[in-house]
Short mmCIF file of all heavy atoms in Angstrom, two decimals:
data_model
loop_
_atom_site.label_atom_id
_atom_site.label_comp_id
_atom_site.label_asym_id
_atom_site.label_seq_id
_atom_site.Cartn_x
_atom_site.Cartn_y
_atom_site.Cartn_z
N GLY A 188 -1.19 3.84 -8.71
CA GLY A 188 -0.87 4.63 -7.54
C GLY A 188 -0.60 3.76 -6.32
O GLY A 188 0.36 3.98 -5.56
N GLY A 189 -1.45 2.75 -6.11
CA GLY A 189 -1.24 1.83 -4.99
C GLY A 189 0.05 1.05 -5.13
O GLY A 189 0.77 0.81 -4.14
N LEU A 190 0.35 0.65 -6.35
CA LEU A 190 1.59 -0.08 -6.63
C LEU A 190 2.81 0.80 -6.32
O LEU A 190 3.75 0.35 -5.65
CB LEU A 190 1.61 -0.51 -8.09
CG LEU A 190 2.80 -1.38 -8.53
CD1 LEU A 190 2.59 -2.82 -8.10
CD2 LEU A 190 2.98 -1.30 -10.05
N ALA A 191 2.79 2.04 -6.78
CA ALA A 191 3.94 2.94 -6.60
C ALA A 191 4.18 3.24 -5.12
O ALA A 191 5.32 3.26 -4.65
CB ALA A 191 3.72 4.23 -7.37
N ALA A 192 3.10 3.48 -4.37
CA ALA A 192 3.23 3.77 -2.94
C ALA A 192 3.87 2.61 -2.20
O ALA A 192 4.77 2.79 -1.37
CB ALA A 192 1.86 4.09 -2.35
N THR A 193 3.41 1.40 -2.51
CA THR A 193 3.90 0.22 -1.81
C THR A 193 5.33 -0.11 -2.22
O THR A 193 6.17 -0.47 -1.37
CB THR A 193 2.97 -0.97 -2.07
OG1 THR A 193 1.62 -0.56 -1.86
CG2 THR A 193 3.30 -2.13 -1.15
N ARG A 194 5.64 0.02 -3.49
CA ARG A 194 7.01 -0.23 -3.96
C ARG A 194 8.00 0.71 -3.28
O ARG A 194 9.12 0.31 -2.94
CB ARG A 194 7.09 -0.06 -5.48
CG ARG A 194 6.69 -1.29 -6.27
CD ARG A 194 6.87 -1.07 -7.74
NE ARG A 194 6.71 -2.30 -8.51
CZ ARG A 194 6.62 -2.35 -9.83
NH1 ARG A 194 6.68 -1.21 -10.53
NH2 ARG A 194 6.49 -3.49 -10.44
N HIS A 195 7.59 1.95 -3.08
CA HIS A 195 8.47 2.91 -2.42
C HIS A 195 8.81 2.44 -1.01
O HIS A 195 9.97 2.49 -0.59
CB HIS A 195 7.81 4.29 -2.37
CG HIS A 195 8.52 5.27 -1.51
ND1 HIS A 195 9.78 5.76 -1.81
CD2 HIS A 195 8.17 5.85 -0.33
CE1 HIS A 195 10.17 6.60 -0.86
NE2 HIS A 195 9.21 6.67 0.05
N LEU A 196 7.81 1.96 -0.28
CA LEU A 196 8.06 1.49 1.07
C LEU A 196 8.94 0.24 1.07
O LEU A 196 9.82 0.08 1.94
CB LEU A 196 6.72 1.20 1.77
CG LEU A 196 5.86 2.44 2.06
CD1 LEU A 196 4.46 2.02 2.52
CD2 LEU A 196 6.53 3.33 3.11
N ILE A 197 8.72 -0.65 0.11
CA ILE A 197 9.55 -1.85 0.01
C ILE A 197 11.00 -1.47 -0.31
O ILE A 197 11.95 -2.01 0.27
CB ILE A 197 8.98 -2.80 -1.07
CG1 ILE A 197 7.62 -3.35 -0.62
CG2 ILE A 197 9.95 -3.94 -1.36
CD1 ILE A 197 6.86 -4.09 -1.71
N GLU A 198 11.16 -0.51 -1.21
CA GLU A 198 12.52 -0.07 -1.57
C GLU A 198 13.22 0.62 -0.40
O GLU A 198 14.45 0.61 -0.32
CB GLU A 198 12.45 0.87 -2.77
CG GLU A 198 12.09 0.14 -4.07
CD GLU A 198 11.71 1.09 -5.19
OE1 GLU A 198 11.71 2.33 -4.95
OE2 GLU A 198 11.40 0.60 -6.30
N CYS A 199 12.43 1.19 0.53
CA CYS A 199 13.02 1.77 1.74
C CYS A 199 13.50 0.68 2.70
O CYS A 199 14.23 0.97 3.66
CB CYS A 199 12.00 2.65 2.46
SG CYS A 199 11.71 4.26 1.67
N GLY A 200 13.06 -0.56 2.46
CA GLY A 200 13.48 -1.67 3.31
C GLY A 200 12.39 -2.24 4.19
O GLY A 200 12.64 -3.16 4.98
N HIS A 201 11.17 -1.75 4.06
CA HIS A 201 10.07 -2.23 4.92
C HIS A 201 9.57 -3.60 4.44
O HIS A 201 9.52 -3.87 3.24
CB HIS A 201 8.92 -1.23 4.91
CG HIS A 201 9.26 0.07 5.59
ND1 HIS A 201 9.17 0.24 6.94
CD2 HIS A 201 9.72 1.25 5.08
CE1 HIS A 201 9.55 1.47 7.26
NE2 HIS A 201 9.89 2.10 6.14
N ARG A 202 9.21 -4.42 5.41
CA ARG A 202 8.65 -5.73 5.12
C ARG A 202 7.28 -5.90 5.78
O ARG A 202 6.44 -6.62 5.26
CB ARG A 202 9.59 -6.84 5.62
CG ARG A 202 10.96 -6.84 4.91
CD ARG A 202 10.79 -7.12 3.42
NE ARG A 202 12.03 -7.08 2.67
CZ ARG A 202 12.47 -6.02 1.99
NH1 ARG A 202 11.74 -4.89 1.99
NH2 ARG A 202 13.59 -6.06 1.32
N ARG A 203 7.06 -5.26 6.91
CA ARG A 203 5.76 -5.31 7.58
C ARG A 203 5.01 -4.02 7.24
O ARG A 203 5.13 -3.00 7.90
CB ARG A 203 5.93 -5.46 9.10
CG ARG A 203 6.60 -6.76 9.51
CD ARG A 203 6.32 -7.12 10.98
NE ARG A 203 6.59 -6.02 11.91
CZ ARG A 203 7.79 -5.74 12.40
NH1 ARG A 203 8.85 -6.44 12.02
NH2 ARG A 203 7.95 -4.75 13.26
N ILE A 204 4.25 -4.12 6.15
CA ILE A 204 3.55 -2.94 5.61
C ILE A 204 2.05 -3.18 5.68
O ILE A 204 1.56 -4.21 5.22
CB ILE A 204 3.97 -2.66 4.14
CG1 ILE A 204 5.49 -2.54 4.03
CG2 ILE A 204 3.28 -1.40 3.62
CD1 ILE A 204 5.99 -2.48 2.60
N ALA A 205 1.34 -2.25 6.26
CA ALA A 205 -0.13 -2.34 6.35
C ALA A 205 -0.76 -1.30 5.43
O ALA A 205 -0.12 -0.32 5.03
CB ALA A 205 -0.59 -2.11 7.78
N ILE A 206 -2.02 -1.53 5.10
CA ILE A 206 -2.76 -0.57 4.27
C ILE A 206 -4.08 -0.24 4.94
O ILE A 206 -4.76 -1.12 5.49
CB ILE A 206 -3.01 -1.13 2.84
CG1 ILE A 206 -3.79 -0.10 1.99
CG2 ILE A 206 -3.73 -2.46 2.88
CD1 ILE A 206 -3.93 -0.48 0.53
N ILE A 207 -4.42 1.03 4.94
CA ILE A 207 -5.77 1.49 5.31
C ILE A 207 -6.34 2.11 4.04
O ILE A 207 -6.05 3.26 3.72
CB ILE A 207 -5.73 2.52 6.45
CG1 ILE A 207 -4.98 1.97 7.66
CG2 ILE A 207 -7.15 2.93 6.84
CD1 ILE A 207 -4.72 3.02 8.74
N THR A 208 -7.09 1.34 3.29
CA THR A 208 -7.65 1.86 2.05
C THR A 208 -8.99 2.55 2.35
O THR A 208 -9.33 2.78 3.50
CB THR A 208 -7.79 0.74 1.00
OG1 THR A 208 -8.13 1.31 -0.28
CG2 THR A 208 -8.83 -0.29 1.40
N GLY A 209 -9.75 2.90 1.31
CA GLY A 209 -11.01 3.60 1.52
C GLY A 209 -12.16 2.63 1.74
O GLY A 209 -11.95 1.44 2.03
N PRO A 210 -13.40 3.09 1.59
CA PRO A 210 -14.57 2.23 1.81
C PRO A 210 -14.55 1.00 0.90
O PRO A 210 -14.14 1.06 -0.26
CB PRO A 210 -15.75 3.15 1.46
CG PRO A 210 -15.21 4.53 1.70
CD PRO A 210 -13.78 4.49 1.30
N GLU A 211 -15.04 -0.10 1.43
CA GLU A 211 -14.99 -1.37 0.71
C GLU A 211 -15.90 -1.40 -0.50
O GLU A 211 -15.72 -2.23 -1.40
CB GLU A 211 -15.36 -2.51 1.68
CG GLU A 211 -15.01 -3.88 1.19
CD GLU A 211 -15.12 -4.93 2.28
OE1 GLU A 211 -15.51 -4.58 3.42
OE2 GLU A 211 -14.82 -6.11 2.00
N ASP A 212 -16.90 -0.51 -0.57
CA ASP A 212 -17.83 -0.51 -1.69
C ASP A 212 -17.44 0.50 -2.77
O ASP A 212 -18.26 0.81 -3.64
CB ASP A 212 -19.26 -0.24 -1.21
CG ASP A 212 -19.40 1.12 -0.53
OD1 ASP A 212 -18.38 1.77 -0.26
OD2 ASP A 212 -20.56 1.52 -0.28
N MET A 213 -16.21 0.99 -2.74
CA MET A 213 -15.74 1.93 -3.77
C MET A 213 -14.61 1.28 -4.56
O MET A 213 -13.63 0.80 -3.98
CB MET A 213 -15.28 3.24 -3.13
CG MET A 213 -16.41 4.01 -2.47
SD MET A 213 -15.84 5.54 -1.67
CE MET A 213 -15.45 6.54 -3.10
N LEU A 214 -14.75 1.27 -5.87
CA LEU A 214 -13.78 0.57 -6.69
C LEU A 214 -12.40 1.19 -6.62
O LEU A 214 -11.40 0.51 -6.78
CB LEU A 214 -14.26 0.52 -8.15
CG LEU A 214 -15.44 -0.42 -8.40
CD1 LEU A 214 -15.84 -0.38 -9.87
CD2 LEU A 214 -15.08 -1.85 -8.01
N CYS A 215 -12.30 2.51 -6.38
CA CYS A 215 -10.98 3.11 -6.26
C CYS A 215 -10.25 2.55 -5.05
O CYS A 215 -9.03 2.32 -5.09
CB CYS A 215 -11.07 4.63 -6.18
SG CYS A 215 -11.83 5.26 -4.68
N SER A 216 -10.98 2.29 -3.95
CA SER A 216 -10.37 1.69 -2.77
C SER A 216 -9.83 0.30 -3.09
O SER A 216 -8.71 -0.06 -2.69
CB SER A 216 -11.40 1.56 -1.64
OG SER A 216 -12.00 2.79 -1.34
#
């Protein structure tokens, strides 16, 4: 899911992409 979301933004032409993931102690984040 993280890969697909980011690839979509890259394919749109973005290069400066930031991420706000979830809590650092959760493996899904």
